[in-house]
Amino acid sequence: MKEATLNPDRLPRHVGIIMDGNGRWARKNKLKIAMGHRAGTEALREIIRNSSDIGIEALSLYAFSTENWARPKPEVDALMSLLLEFFRSEIDELHQKNVRIRILGEKDALPPQQRLALIAAETRTFDNTGLKLNIAINYGSRAELARAARLLAREVAEGIRLPDSVDEAAVAGLLYTAGLPDVDLLIRTSGEMRLSNFMLWQCAYAEFVFPKKLWPDFTLEDYHLCLAEYQTRSRRYGKREEE
Ligand code: IPE
Ligand code: IPE
Ligand code: MG
């Protein structure tokens, strides 16, 4: 296995991960789909721990999209159970590691047990100052942007905001990611090269890396290779590169 050499001074501040490939992993290993998702949560633990250890500021993980409700009910149920299990088993350690958990997405549409566990995790870790761990659940970037527009429209209608004050900062401030830096590095596993409605606004200038491995096979070494790849990129933000 190739070892990545990382420059600790050039780590991305915000890493986004689209954890894709659980279904194909299950099929490849002749297992039920739920086992693929379970294997996916194992891969997740290490990446979260390590991100906290190496000093990544924010990590955003795509766990369940607004479109994923359209999957067969047994699969959705399995994902919801795993979600609960994950929070119950990890919350103590994450809290101990000073991790601040934030849920991106519409919690109201989730089953009550899940909703309460997510709210409890957010409340308990609210004052933590370590890794900002964002988990996108029932998240869709278009829904997030529409929600921001709705909140702004309401403020204008109530007379507490002037239409001309609606600028980029005003929109960003009403996204689930308010106060966080933009995504610097976006990783999507399994070889798919699309955003699937993940952080369209926040990824405006993100660097993209598309490792071929399926999410349950994605190791810490693979993660570090992505971080190393990020460190080779030249980020110009539309400007002329310095001579
Ligand atoms: C990603 O794995 C996990 C979720 C979408 C919840 P998939 O289940 O999408 O895996 P593939 O794409 O079918 O292999
Ligand atoms: C995106 O993956 C959602 C998550 C990883 C949670 P999907 O597997 O749902 O996306 P598509 O359908 O391949 O675009
Ligand atoms: Mg998929």
Side-chain angles (χ1 to χ4, degrees):
M1 171 61 69
K2 209 166 95 198
E3 275 282 332
T5 324
L6 294 178
N7 176 352
D9 299 326
R10 284 203 53 206
L11 285 171
R13 286 181 70 190
H14 189 170
V15 179
I17 307 185
I18 303 178
M19 309 181 289
D20 199 15
N22 295 350
R24 276 162 283 169
W25 185 91
R27 212 173 307 127
K28 187 182 84 177
N29 291 287
K30 300 195 166 42
L31 294 167
K32 291 224 164 72
I33 194 105
M35 293 307 290
H37 292 309
R38 179 172 292 280
T41 60
E42 293 304 321
L44 185 61
R45 283 196 175 88
E46 253 200 313
I47 304 290
I48 297 176
R49 264 192 220 116
N50 185 253
S51 298
S52 159
D53 292 344
I54 66 176
I56 299 285
E57 180 178 336
L59 176 66
S60 295
L61 304 165
Y62 205 6
F64 192 88
S65 74
T66 45
E67 288 76 37
N68 288 147
W69 293 109
R71 293 191 179 196
K73 186 166 185 302
E75 182 178 354
V76 172
D77 290 348
L79 281 165
M80 289 297 143
S81 308
L82 276 170
L83 188 68
L84 199 58
E85 206 180 296
F86 179 82
F87 273 86
R88 285 185 177 157
S89 65
E90 299 305 301
I91 185 68
D92 287 342
E93 188 189 328
L94 291 173
H95 186 44
Q96 214 172 3
K97 273 187 164 297
N98 198 23
V99 171
R100 155 116 194 244
I101 295 172
R102 194 193 298 217
I103 305 302
L104 317 179
E106 193 48 67
K107 290 191 283 280
D108 285 351
L110 296 170
Q113 269 192 314
Q114 278 73 4
R115 194 173 66 236
L116 292 175
L118 299 183
I119 294 170
E122 283 185 317
T123 312
R124 183 162 166 206
T125 63
F126 188 83
D127 292 323
N128 289 350
T129 53
L131 173 72
K132 295 169 179 130
L133 175 63
N134 309 308
I135 307 188
I137 299 167
N138 189 24
Y139 174 87
S141 191
R142 287 182 170 181
E144 177 185 38
L145 287 163
R147 173 178 171 270
R150 202 159 54 238
L151 295 171
L152 288 167
R154 204 174 288 155
E155 287 181 7
V156 170
E158 285 167 1
I160 53 174
R161 172 183 288 283
L162 291 171
D164 284 350
S165 76
V166 177
D167 55 9
E168 292 185 16
V171 175
L174 287 168
L175 300 180
Y176 294 117
T177 49
L180 293 172
D182 279 347
V183 173
D184 296 300
L185 168 64
L186 190 276
I187 301 169
R188 181 172 187 152
T189 57
S190 86
E192 305 294 355
M193 298 184 198
R194 55 177 172 268
L195 280 174
S196 300
N197 206 8
F198 186 61
M199 292 194 160
L200 307 179
W201 175 284
Q202 298 87 338
C203 284
Y205 268 101
E207 296 295 330
F208 291 77
V209 180
F210 298 108
K212 290 261 179 329
K213 278 210 189 166
L214 304 174
W215 176 251
D217 290 330
F218 192 73
T219 63
L220 215 47
E221 286 75 25
D222 297 317
Y223 182 44
H224 285 194
L225 287 174
C226 294
L227 295 172
E229 166 68 30
Y230 167 81
Q231 294 189 333
T232 67
R233 303 278 176 94
S234 146
R235 304 186 76 193
R236 291 188 286 279
Y237 298 98
K239 298 179 190 136
R240 179 71 57 212
E241 197 166 16
E242 299 289 319
E243 292 286 320

